[in-house]
Amino acid sequence: MTASLNLSRRLRRTPFTERAEACGVSGFTVVNHMLLPKAYRRSIEEDYWHLRQGVQLWDVACQRQVQVHGPDAARLVQWMTPRDLRGALPGQCLYVPLVDGRGGLVNDPVLLKLDSDLFWLSIADSDVLLWARGLALGAGLDVTITEPDVSPLAVQGPRALDLMVEVFGDGVRALKYFGFARFEFQHSHQVVARSGYSSQDGFEIYLDGGALGGALWDALWEAGQAFDVAPGCPNLIDRIEAGLLSYGNDMTLENNPFECGMARHLALDGSLECIGGDALRAIQREGARRRITGVTFGSDPCPACASPWPVTGDGPRGERIGQVTSAAYSPRLRRNVGLAMIERGFWDPGQGVSVHCPGGEGLTGELTALPFVGRS
Amino acid sequence: MTASLNLSRRLRRTPFTERAEACGVSGFTVVNHMLLPKAYRRSIEEDYWHLRQGVQLWDVACQRQVQVHGPDAARLVQWMTPRDLRGALPGQCLYVPLVDGRGGLVNDPVLLKLDSDLFWLSIADSDVLLWARGLALGAGLDVTITEPDVSPLAVQGPRALDLMVEVFGDGVRALKYFGFARFEFQHSHQVVARSGYSSQDGFEIYLDGGALGGALWDALWEAGQAFDVAPGCPNLIDRIEAGLLSYGNDMTLENNPFECGMARHLALDGSLECIGGDALRAIQREGARRRITGVTFGSDPCPACASPWPVTGDGPRGERIGQVTSAAYSPRLRRNVGLAMIERGFWDPGQGVSVHCPGGEGLTGELTALPFVGRS
């Protein structure tokens, strides 16, 4: 489901946008006031199959870094998340829910601990820069918070390792999932992490210095010819199957981490000073009122989910029990797959439901556990 | 200059999106994670002429309200802006630059003082909700900060008054520019302000309760048949001619109010406790290093400005002296008009320049004062 996008400087181009255009990008979305390619020449199904066999370059520069640096940096970052960071080491990525005073999700970035007093928050779509600066200014913390000229480029797919070795050397083999290290590229030292927003193996290069964008893309593109490289982007089918949530789509400031399958990341024993701790402990005591689940429904491809679709139960009253927030047709499962926020009492796998897409009858479906499929 | 936009729930629809679609909306942009219609069936030039003679309905629900309420509300709002709010009265709109600790622009909302302890900040494109919550949480202020279900609909053009009288009664005649009051609509009481992002007379209805969106649009549409009503949107030509800046386009967090023609709104005598006061006083002492000016250039229509265009001086060295950040062809002036951020020493009206659009020679032009034309 697409419309036309009127371009302006406010929708920032990335160091890779020119290359994406040269590769025939045919659709964008906007994340963090920046263009994110969302479609090239091939269909989402073709991209899905390719992602499971080749390697793709994704311009995910919109995953902006919020850099927190200074004497109070560790204190501020810990204050911002209910995840326990006391054991975190430099070279480690951590998925860190950020919440506000009521426990509502502000963002769900990946944290990179670069040094004991230097952190990057690699963010989803909300202005964490302003949130962090507001907190620091209000509390009088001694930190410098900036958005550096760092633009992630993702290399995803089963042949990502081969390609990365070709460009960055054998050292990348040693990277474990959610580990990062610095590697040389054209006399610069770039952070490379083994990570990415797909079900496949992959890497993210946190390109420091946008002027190198074309050179980095070209180096990967040329070396990638031996490994079935293609331009790509976060694949909706793949990420739903993998149970990867999207901030703004599947969760918002109105949701808390318990509703979003993040309970295992929370340290609520009271030993951390973190924003929203009391609110989250209250929710923990009472139990979440709703929860993200998977759902399969219908056998004809559904449209894109541009606003939440009501989900009703299959009981005699057919009452509303939740909503679908992301959905796509899975060519492997030959069913539509979706992520749904479902009320307590109804969220068990196997629950029969109807999904109400616009302009149609309710489609019969069933709730499922997440992920639909494990990481490959 | 358009591309395709891939829709998802994250790009929120508004209470008026369905009506915009029924009117043939053909392009959107994204502001505050929400769809803003940017084109209908007619060209931007046709819309420009129509805006000067009829009346248009603009879905500007993306101008989200950040509501600040509670015992410390007035203190927080004053802390957020270097504009003196001590004389502000309920019923008054004020243009309030928001700055961070370094004097960088966080946003440039219109402030509505609803009561002594209740304010709305009607924002441009950045998450002021997070900025304000961060400040309040950090500083321990006793306020509640929310995004209420309020969606502005703008009624713009010389026949706006006639149409508004038809729908809201004779009382709207008493509204002065940047004044607001509550008016009844279908048993609700809605804030109506005499304001808008155009050079023309107009109003903004701050619709409280999205469920009334269709009814409000329909009422204005039906009554508007007598006044040459049309769907519309902020018109690029008109707003450039009027010297109306766009946050994210013509100014960012890297700019300060002195660079953006906002000096008259600042109260820097030290009697206010406001964020960035010291930084702004230092800039005031040294003088701004650059400033927004108008520029006219070329006589063939330029493309849309999707990233800043270099501006060089007409001196023998032709050095870079700034950049154009918004531009459009003015059918009235028969020249391209633009907004440009120009270095000190070069910003006087009459300065000869070359504007370097992509893929062409430099276009000869001249700096001009803002606005290009006065308010009608």
Side-chain angles (χ1 to χ4, degrees), chain B residues 24-367:
Chain B
V25 60
S26 61
F28 292 99
T29 187
V30 178
V31 172
N32 289 322
H33 319 280
M34 189 169 261
L35 297 175
L36 169 63
K38 280 299 288 179
Y40 286 87
R41 295 197 178 99
R42 300 191 297 193
S43 71
I44 181 174
E45 286 84 6
E46 290 169 316
D47 275 346
Y48 168 84
W49 291 118
H50 178 267
L51 177 59
R52 305 177 74 82
Q53 66 187 45
V55 57
Q56 298 184 353
L57 305 186
W58 297 1
D59 171 5
V60 288
C62 64
Q63 295 171 191
R64 304 310 295 162
Q65 306 310 299
V66 175
Q67 176 172 299
V68 184
H69 187 205
D72 287 333
R75 185 174 154 206
L76 174 59
V77 171
Q78 179 62 84
W79 193 37
M80 290 172 73
T81 180
R83 179 162 184 177
D84 189 346
L85 304 179
R86 286 172 292 194
L89 298 170
Q92 202 178 345
C93 300
L94 292 102
Y95 181 69
V96 291
L98 307 184
V99 302
D100 69 3
R102 303 181 307 182
L105 281 159
V106 167
N107 205 290
D108 68 328
V110 170
L111 173 71
L112 285 79
K113 182 168 180 173
L114 296 160
D115 206 338
S116 59
D117 66 346
L118 180 61
F119 300 83
W120 285 348
L121 291 160
S122 187
I123 62 171
D125 187 28
S126 70
D127 292 337
V128 174
L129 184 75
L130 297 181
W131 171 242
R133 280 193 183 173
L135 290 169
L137 206 154
L141 298 181
D142 187 5
V143 289
T144 303
I145 301 165
T146 53
E147 182 182 300
D149 176 16
V150 171
S151 298
L153 181 67
V155 182
Q156 300 287 302
R159 308 198 72 181
L161 177 60
D162 290 338
L163 172 52
M164 290 295 289
V165 165
E166 201 69 25
V167 174
F168 290 95
D170 262 320
V172 295
R173 292 188 194 279
L175 282 176
K176 295 209 163 47
Y177 185 64
F178 259 46
F180 71 85
R182 287 192 185 267
F183 292 85
E184 196 188 334
F185 179 75
Q186 296 197 355
H187 312 295
S188 68
H189 288 83
Q190 302 293 345
V191 168
V192 175
R194 195 150 192 169
S195 57
Y197 195 61
S198 81
S199 69
Q200 302 297 309
D201 190 17
F203 298 83
E204 290 175 299
I205 305 154
Y206 287 74
L207 180 67
D208 191 342
L212 282 170
L216 177 62
W217 181 286
D218 292 344
L220 289 161
W221 186 258
E222 283 155 30
Q225 296 309 310
F227 307 107
D228 189 16
V229 72
C233 53
N235 185 280
L236 184 62
I237 309 165
D238 177 75
R239 78 137 178 111
I240 292 172
E241 287 188 352
L244 296 170
L245 307 193
S246 164
Y247 186 75
N249 284 314
D250 308 307
M251 54 189 166
T252 73
L253 203 48
E254 302 307 312
N255 297 115
N256 64 62
F258 290 102
E259 296 173 351
C260 302
M262 301 172 184
R264 69 188 181 283
H265 295 309
L266 308 182
L268 297 174
D269 63 7
S271 67
L272 291 181
E273 196 198 348
C274 68
I275 295 167
D278 289 341
L280 292 175
R281 278 183 285 273
I283 296 165
Q284 189 177 39
R285 280 192 302 273
E286 295 169 18
R289 288 175 36 235
R290 48 195 179 184
R291 186 192 286 170
I292 283 276
T293 74
V295 59
T296 61
F297 61 101
S299 46
D300 292 325
C302 63
C305 185
S307 55
W309 296 337
V311 175
T312 55
D314 64 355
R317 287 178 300 149
E319 70 272 58
R320 180 168 172 152
I321 61 169
Q323 59 185 20
V324 167
T325 51
S326 294
Y329 180 76
S330 166
R332 211 154 48 90
L333 303 179
R334 297 175 191 273
R335 297 276 283 164
N336 295 306
V337 293
L339 299 174
M341 187 65 77
I342 301 293
E343 304 296 324
R344 178 158 61 185
F346 300 97
W347 64 39
D348 286 334
Q351 166 77 42
V353 299
S354 286
V355 174
H356 301 265
C357 310
E361 299 278 304
L363 298 173
T364 301
E366 184 174 301
L367 300 186

Side-chain angles (χ1 to χ4, degrees), chain A residues 198-222:
Chain A
S198 82
S199 69
Q200 302 296 310
D201 190 17
F203 297 82
E204 289 175 299
I205 305 155
Y206 287 74
L207 181 66
D208 191 342
L212 283 169
L216 177 62
W217 181 286
D218 292 344
L220 290 161
W221 186 259
E222 283 155 29

Side-chain angles (χ1 to χ4, degrees), chain A residues 182-201:
Chain A
R182 286 193 185 267
F183 293 86
E184 196 187 332
F185 179 75
Q186 296 195 358
H187 312 295
S188 68
H189 288 82
Q190 301 293 346
V191 168
V192 175
R194 196 152 193 168
S195 58
Y197 195 61
S198 82
S199 69
Q200 302 296 310
D201 190 17

